[in-house]
Amino acid sequence: MLEDPDQIDMVLKGKDGMITFVIIDAGITTDQDKRLELLNHKIQCCAAALCDPDQWQEFGGPTEVAVEVQCNFEVNEEAPPQQLNFTTPAGQDISMTVRFVYRPSPYGG
């Protein structure tokens, strides 16, 4: 959940080896500035996991990863995915694509 800033919600590994970090934004926090702050912290948490050499190896040594923000509300479809690039302390160049998808809760809300 977006409101648990130091916890990675989910890590998926595709058949092609692509790593996708999933962040759940259930819409609990309604203040836009606070949500952006929480989202930035969650993305930093994902990047930090890649900067840890052991976790980076555990993920398969990726150079490209995705962050999928699953939102419980309609997403502006015109917003393109955001691209972040960084270099880990070990010298690994990482390309991270952040995209938003609409995933309404089956429980309502």
Side-chain angles (χ1 to χ4, degrees):
M1 298 281 292
L2 194 63
E3 291 73 19
D4 191 1
D6 297 319
Q7 178 72 36
I8 295 175
D9 296 342
M10 225 181 311
V11 179
L12 306 175
K13 187 171 186 177
K15 291 181 182 181
D16 60 357
M18 179 67 159
I19 295 296
T20 302
F21 293 96
V22 178
I23 297 173
I24 308 296
D25 182 357
I28 294 169
T29 301
T30 57
D31 179 86
Q32 295 294 326
D33 292 334
K34 182 63 177 172
R35 283 179 55 223
L36 181 58
E37 179 185 325
L38 290 170
L39 177 61
N40 284 332
H41 191 85
K42 289 288 271 197
I43 290 171
Q44 289 175 9
C45 185
C46 296
L50 293 167
C51 288
D52 178 283
D54 292 333
Q55 285 189 331
W56 183 74
Q57 284 294 333
E58 191 175 309
F59 294 140
T63 57
E64 293 183 35
V65 298
V67 175
E68 182 176 287
V69 183
Q70 296 184 358
C71 304
N72 192 39
F73 47 86
E74 295 288 339
V75 176
N76 182 349
E77 293 183 20
E78 295 177 13
Q82 299 298 309
Q83 192 70 37
L84 305 170
N85 298 304
F86 62 96
T87 302
T88 69
Q92 301 300 326
D93 292 325
I94 306 287
S95 176
M96 181 182 279
T97 302
V98 180
R99 64 180 179 266
F100 297 83
V101 295
Y102 174 52
R103 294 257 197 271
S105 170
Y107 306 107

